[in-house]
Amino acid sequence: MIMHNSSVPYYSVSVIFTSYGSLSSLHHLYFTLALMVYLITLVANIFLMVVIYMEPSLHKPMYIFLFNLALNGLYGSSAFYPQLLDNLLSEVQGSSYVGCLVQVFCMSSYATCAYAILTVMAYDRYVSICKPLLYYRIITNEKVKRLLMFSYFFPVLGTSINTVLTARLPLCELKIHRLFCDNWAVVKNSCINTNLNNVFGLLLVVIFVILPMFFVIFTYSKILMISLKTSKEAQRKALSTCAPHLITFINFSIAVLFALIYNRFDVQQVPAGVNIMISVHFVVIPPLLHPIIYGIRTQEIRKCIRKLLEIGLLMHD
């Protein structure tokens, strides 16, 4: 089906996802596994958010940023799993074109907001360790609000413009070789020149991925230099404070870089299992692991979880 020079309105057209065919007759098994992972992701993120909300000792900038990272993880997961689960039980795996564009926006804004939040978390750790005496002068409540506004406003603005640029493209091909809609997969199916989309997409990658990555590397190099000059105890404390964020950032960076590199190759030349794993990694693994990593690696959160569980048991008795 071709949308170019067609009288059919674009909002009435549907796209078809071809990657579900590689799952053969195991759709019900994959449905069960996906549902389990989605539920674990929801429970882990909501539980972490409830712990931070209910415990006054965690009402600090670091944990406010973590709360928003978990909230963003819920947003990204909910933009992906419901449609995946529906398609796994459907005879025809597809989406309306409008629904496809909505998912393009949601997945893109999830990824860029996550990177922005991780970046401001790195800045918070840098001030905390490198300028501890000035921490509460620099990271004020007003500053936290501005940083969070920055983390949401500019990524959402950038992905909104990108989605509008994609929506204007007529499609010559309605088959998408994915389990879901992503921007590049839609752009590649266009009938017209997509140079504007390519340039703007590259600009977004530079602003929301490359520059934040260099900023985080810079902040941690500063933290490392300062830590090497301190006592063993101070080094241990700095490591325990930074390790969850560093693990989280590296995990998400790998997922995003895999997705970006993968999008530039012909997915039909990649084995089906690798195709699916790489394409969904950034929206499946980080939201699932981030709350678990922080729950295990952050002493203050572990203490609060233990405290809340003990209160719950006492109330139950």
Side-chain angles (χ1 to χ4, degrees):
M1 182 182 291
I2 298 178
M3 290 176 61
H4 191 47
N5 292 331
S6 172
S7 60
V8 179
Y10 77 92
Y11 51 81
S12 67
V13 174
S14 296
V15 295
I16 302 298
F17 303 119
T18 63
S19 290
Y20 288 89
S22 63
L23 303 180
S24 64
S25 61
L26 299 176
H27 281 201
H28 287 86
L29 173 61
Y30 288 116
F31 174 88
T32 303
L33 293 174
L35 180 61
M36 288 176 59
V37 174
Y38 183 38
L39 291 176
I40 293 171
T41 301
L42 290 178
V43 170
N45 283 281
I46 291 173
F47 183 70
L48 179 62
M49 291 167 64
V50 169
V51 169
I52 294 172
Y53 178 79
M54 293 185 63
E55 181 53 50
S57 65
L58 297 180
H59 295 177
K60 300 174 182 177
M62 173 184 174
Y63 301 108
I64 293 173
F65 295 138
L66 179 55
F67 182 96
N68 282 270
L69 184 65
L71 180 64
N72 188 63
L74 288 177
Y75 167 63
S77 298
S78 297
F80 169 67
Y81 281 104
Q83 186 185 71
L84 172 74
L85 294 170
D86 179 62
N87 277 322
L88 284 171
L89 294 182
S90 300
E91 292 185 6
V92 177
Q93 291 78 36
S95 167
S96 68
Y97 187 53
V98 172
C100 183
L101 291 173
V102 170
Q103 190 172 48
V104 165
F105 168 77
C106 291
M107 301 289 269
S108 300
S109 57
Y110 149 74
T112 51
C113 285
Y115 232 95
I117 294 169
L118 288 168
T119 302
V120 299
M121 290 174 75
Y123 172 69
D124 175 74
R125 293 301 82 209
Y126 164 76
V127 177
S128 175
I129 294 172
C130 298
K131 301 180 180 181
L133 299 179
L134 299 175
Y135 179 78
Y136 286 104
R137 288 187 183 181
I138 298 174
I139 309 296
T140 62
N141 289 335
E142 189 62 32
K143 186 71 164 287
V144 170
K145 292 177 183 177
R146 289 202 301 269
L147 288 172
L148 285 174
M149 187 180 298
F150 162 83
S151 300
Y152 288 114
F153 178 76
F154 290 105
V156 169
L157 176 63
T159 52
S160 296
I161 296 172
N162 199 40
T163 305
V164 170
L165 290 176
T166 300
R168 72 184 175 86
L169 299 175
L171 301 183
C172 287
E173 174 62 60
L174 295 177
K175 291 182 179 180
I176 294 180
H177 306 295
R178 294 284 194 280
L179 295 178
F180 60 94
C181 288
D182 70 48
N183 187 69
W184 182 246
V186 176
V187 169
K188 285 194 297 186
N189 287 348
S190 174
C191 299
I192 63 174
N193 186 290
T194 61
N195 285 340
L196 178 60
N197 294 74
N198 295 336
V199 171
F200 191 78
L202 181 61
L203 180 64
L204 290 184
V205 170
V206 171
I207 293 174
F208 294 115
V209 178
I210 304 301
L211 291 180
M213 188 178 297
F214 278 109
F215 177 80
V216 173
I217 292 171
F218 170 78
T219 58
Y220 273 101
S221 66
K222 288 289 187 180
I223 290 172
L224 178 62
M225 287 188 289
I226 293 293
S227 299
L228 291 175
K229 300 176 183 178
T230 60
S231 64
K232 294 292 183 181
E233 178 62 23
Q235 291 178 16
R236 186 196 64 78
K237 186 176 180 180
L239 178 62
S240 65
T241 301
C242 294
H245 175 265
L246 193 56
I247 294 169
T248 299
F249 184 80
I250 291 172
N251 175 50
F252 193 73
S253 296
I254 291 172
V256 170
L257 288 175
F258 274 178
L260 289 173
I261 294 171
Y262 168 74
N263 280 338
R264 295 296 170 175
F265 292 91
D266 183 357
V267 298
Q268 297 183 63
Q269 297 176 359
V270 178
V274 176
N275 174 356
I276 292 172
M277 182 182 68
I278 294 177
S279 65
V280 304
H281 183 191
F282 81 104
V283 76
V284 171
I285 303 302
L288 175 64
L289 290 186
H290 291 173
I292 297 173
I293 290 170
Y294 272 95
I296 294 173
R297 297 285 306 182
T298 306
Q299 185 177 2
E300 291 85 353
I301 292 179
R302 288 203 309 270
K303 287 181 179 178
C304 293
I305 291 174
R306 195 177 303 119
K307 175 182 173 182
L308 289 174
L309 290 176
E310 289 173 355
I311 293 174
L313 289 173
L314 288 174
M315 292 177 65
H316 179 72
D317 293 338

